[in-house]
């Protein structure tokens, strides 16, 4: 079985500062890892995903994440925060089996102040 | 663009009522999912469906059932609503061809309040 732990339910940064949202996973087989974002009153949308190959993954809106197998981590970063980045972010894991459902973390709310 | 439509954004029901939450997707996706979202708990999987007339229990199926009679529609049913089922319900779909790496497309959610 897979699981995801997001460290920190709430992260606050200033506009222009580095954004770092932490995610650690547990999986007995090679994982597929995802970050989704949820803006207020909306459904979730995909930011980026890691399946195989390059461990540094670039996504939309300037976000990127690095898969580190030795640390079982998939942290999300953005060099410079914008006010529009304020949202809730979810890390998720699944495995190769077709049709397997995504398992989500509990989410991290990002606040950006001016 | 893929569109996942949840029939009701806000519902208020009474304890013991039968509740239907409807979800329709327009991209011929095989896989469909129902998640429940609660503050501090994230998204928890209730049920999912690989294809028409197929269903699998997720992590929290108790008190819920589902129906998938047509490919585009996946319904979540609360047979007898209880106050602890007050929550945001999110439907999602995914194309089968990409397997587990495929992107989930979400609806905007249905916020259910049970009084």
């Amino acid at each position: 079985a897979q699981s995801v732990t997001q460290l920190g339910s709430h992260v606050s940064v200033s506009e222009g500062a580095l954004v770092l949202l932490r995610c650690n996973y547990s999986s007995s087989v090679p994982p597929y890892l995802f970050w989704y974002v949820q803006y207020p009153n909306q459904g979730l949308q995909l930011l980026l995903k890691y399946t195989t190959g390059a461990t540094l993954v670039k996504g939309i809106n300037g976000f990127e994440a690095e898969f580190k197998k030795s640390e079982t981590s998939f942290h999300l970063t953005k060099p410079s925060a914008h006010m529009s980045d304020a949202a809730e972010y979810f890390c998720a894991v699944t495995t190769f089996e077709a049709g397997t459902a995504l398992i989500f973390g509990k989410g991290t709310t990002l606040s950006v102040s001016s | 663009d893929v569109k996942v439509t949840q029939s009701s954004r806000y519902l208020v029901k009474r304890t013991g009522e039968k509740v239907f939450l409807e979800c329709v997707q327009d991209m011929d996706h095989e896989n469909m999912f129902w998640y429940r979202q609660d503050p501090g708990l994230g998204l928890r999987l209730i049920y999912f469906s690989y294809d028409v007339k197929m269903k699998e229990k997720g992590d929290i199926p108790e008190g819920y059932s589902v129906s998938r009679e047509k490919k585009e529609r996946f319904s979540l049913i609360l047979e007898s609503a209880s106050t602890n089922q007050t929550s945001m319900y999110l439907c999602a779909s995914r194309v089968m061809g990409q397997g587990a790496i495929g992107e989930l497309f979400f609806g905007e959610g249905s916020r259910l309040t049970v009084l």
Side-chain angles (χ1 to χ4, degrees):
Chain A
Q2 305 86 43
S3 66
V4 164
T5 301
Q6 291 184 240
L7 302 175
S9 59
H10 200 128
V11 171
S12 297
V13 300
S14 299
E15 196 171 20
L18 171 72
V19 175
L20 171 59
L21 304 183
R22 300 177 186 273
C23 173
N24 287 90
Y25 70 91
S26 173
S27 178
S28 57
V29 297
Y32 297 146
L33 295 158
F34 302 75
W35 276 99
Y36 280 80
V37 61
Q38 185 180 33
Y39 298 103
N41 297 314
Q42 295 184 25
L44 281 71
Q45 64 183 84
L46 181 66
L47 267 181
L48 50 79
K49 66 181 177 184
Y50 167 80
T51 55
T52 58
T55 56
L56 182 63
V57 180
K58 296 187 184 298
I60 61 172
N61 301 335
F63 284 93
E64 63 182 35
E66 187 170 11
F67 171 62
K68 292 187 176 180
K69 184 178 179 180
S70 61
E71 299 177 9
T72 62
S73 69
F74 191 57
H75 302 331
L76 182 70
T77 60
K78 182 173 180 178
S80 177
H82 295 154
M83 298 292 287
S84 60
D85 294 327
E88 189 161 19
Y89 292 81
F90 293 93
C91 184
V93 65
T94 187
T95 61
F96 172 76
E97 296 168 299
T100 303
L102 231 54
I103 304 300
F104 285 86
K106 294 183 178 181
T108 298
T109 299
L110 176 66
S111 299
V112 182
S113 57
S114 56
Chain B
D1 284 349
V2 175
K3 192 164 180 63
V4 178
T5 303
Q6 295 184 228
S7 56
S8 302
R9 290 295 304 273
Y10 301 93
L11 302 92
V12 179
K13 299 291 182 180
R14 297 205 174 273
T15 302
E17 280 193 79
K18 190 170 186 176
V19 181
F20 292 88
L21 300 180
E22 304 285 341
C23 176
V24 177
Q25 50 93 4
D26 66 357
M27 282 301 290
D28 205 35
H29 286 174
E30 290 83 3
N31 299 166
M32 295 189 74
F33 306 82
W34 275 106
Y35 286 91
R36 171 176 171 162
Q37 182 179 15
D38 299 288
L41 297 179
L43 277 72
R44 293 178 291 168
L45 181 65
I46 305 173
Y47 268 96
F48 62 104
S49 171
Y50 294 118
D51 209 331
V52 178
K53 296 190 184 296
M54 300 176 72
K55 60 184 178 183
E56 294 285 338
K57 292 181 179 179
D59 298 320
I60 53 165
E62 297 79 17
Y64 304 95
S65 62
V66 291
S67 173
R68 183 103 182 265
E69 295 297 317
K70 293 186 177 181
K71 193 173 187 180
E72 68 270 19
R73 186 181 299 271
F74 191 35
S75 302
L76 180 69
I77 304 156
L78 288 67
E79 294 289 342
S80 178
S82 63
T83 54
N84 63 13
Q85 293 179 308
T86 291
S87 186
M88 171 70 85
Y89 291 87
L90 292 170
C91 175
S93 72
R94 181 179 69 190
V95 65
M96 175 75 91
Q98 296 183 27
I101 68 172
E103 178 179 354
L104 284 181
F105 292 88
F106 282 85
E108 293 186 321
S110 297
R111 184 169 294 282
L112 172 67
T113 301
V114 183
L115 302 176

